[in-house]
Amino acid sequence: MTRADVTIVDYGVGNLGSLRNALAKVGRTADITGDPDAVAVAERIILPGVGAFDRAVGRLSETGLAEAITAAAKAGTPLAGVCLGMQLLLDGSDEGALPGLGLIAGKATRFPATIDGHRLLVPHMGWSSAVAAKPSRLAPALSDGGRFYFVHSYAVDADEADDVLTWTDYGRRYASSVERDNVLGIQFHPEKSHRYGLAILRDFAGSSH
């Protein structure tokens, strides 16, 4: 049986169907699964997510998915964390007390309530530019930056500048995407980012079977 181009991790957090539909638009197949054994043998993995950090970490841990994702990533399987999924790749988040997966060194911190005396609308919601910091191996379309659709209250601060793929400004500068070896994190929603987002999904999913 031919495996799908991408395996989307289902742990009860996030709109998985929209990601699968976006992948289908660019001619890529995707399985949605909550089975750690299926994740362990995946060609490529997308870890999606919306909502609270600790709840997501708890679900991944209690289902055995955290261990399967981490082992696959350390074995070289391409892994992309999307939105909250990107923050789960980190060491942790100010939003919660539980540790993240620790695949990218860094932490997520909440946007400030005010900047220079002016109120900052949180969550950051809408279209913003991402400025490239380095070329991407996993998603070459990101190497030129672009405009993407964001919805988030916490922003990623990477410990290593070399891990940052793109920078975005919203009240302050933060890493809107990161990449280390075979691990990619993207804060925005590629499935809602029209041609820019679809190009990233096409790149990450590789050549179709």
Side-chain angles (χ1 to χ4, degrees):
M1 180 177 172
T2 303
R3 280 185 284 183
D5 296 313
V6 177
T7 295
I8 301 171
V9 181
D10 180 6
Y11 58 107
V13 180
N15 183 359
L16 312 184
S18 61
L19 262 176
R20 180 165 60 184
N21 292 341
L23 284 159
K25 281 184 182 178
V26 294
R28 304 298 186 263
T29 58
D31 285 336
I32 295 174
T33 183
D35 180 1
D37 292 337
V39 170
V41 297
E43 294 279 348
R44 299 171 190 85
I45 301 166
I46 291 181
L47 176 62
V50 295
F53 187 89
D54 274 5
R55 178 172 179 264
V57 170
R59 287 286 300 153
L60 288 174
S61 297
E62 68 194 24
T63 55
L65 287 165
E67 187 177 353
I69 293 165
T70 302
K74 289 182 176 177
T77 302
L79 166 66
V82 177
C83 198
L84 176 62
M86 172 183 178
Q87 297 175 14
L88 294 171
L89 301 176
L90 306 173
D91 298 317
S93 171
D94 282 350
E95 185 182 17
L98 296 177
L101 298 176
L103 295 170
I104 299 281
K107 193 171 186 179
T109 57
R110 186 172 173 85
F111 283 114
T114 59
I115 294 290
D116 296 330
H118 298 285
R119 182 166 167 260
L120 187 69
L121 292 177
V122 180
H124 170 210
M125 183 180 298
W127 292 84
S128 287
S129 295
V131 178
K134 69 172 184 178
S136 171
R137 181 174 65 85
L138 295 172
L142 257 181
S143 301
D144 297 323
R147 282 181 58 78
F148 304 98
Y149 188 81
F150 292 80
V151 182
H152 61 123
S153 299
Y154 291 78
V156 169
D157 294 311
D159 288 354
E160 302 292 336
D162 287 349
D163 291 339
V164 178
L165 265 184
T166 60
W167 296 105
T168 293
D169 281 297
Y170 186 72
R172 66 178 185 86
R173 190 173 81 149
Y174 67 92
S176 49
S177 64
V178 292
E179 183 176 286
R180 173 178 286 187
D181 300 326
N182 56 301
V183 178
L184 170 70
I186 47 180
Q187 182 62 67
F188 49 84
H189 288 271
E191 77 280 10
K192 296 179 181 178
S193 297
H194 304 325
R195 63 185 178 90
Y196 292 112
L198 291 177
I200 290 165
L201 290 174
R202 182 190 297 112
D203 281 353
F204 178 75
S207 53
S208 186
H209 293 299

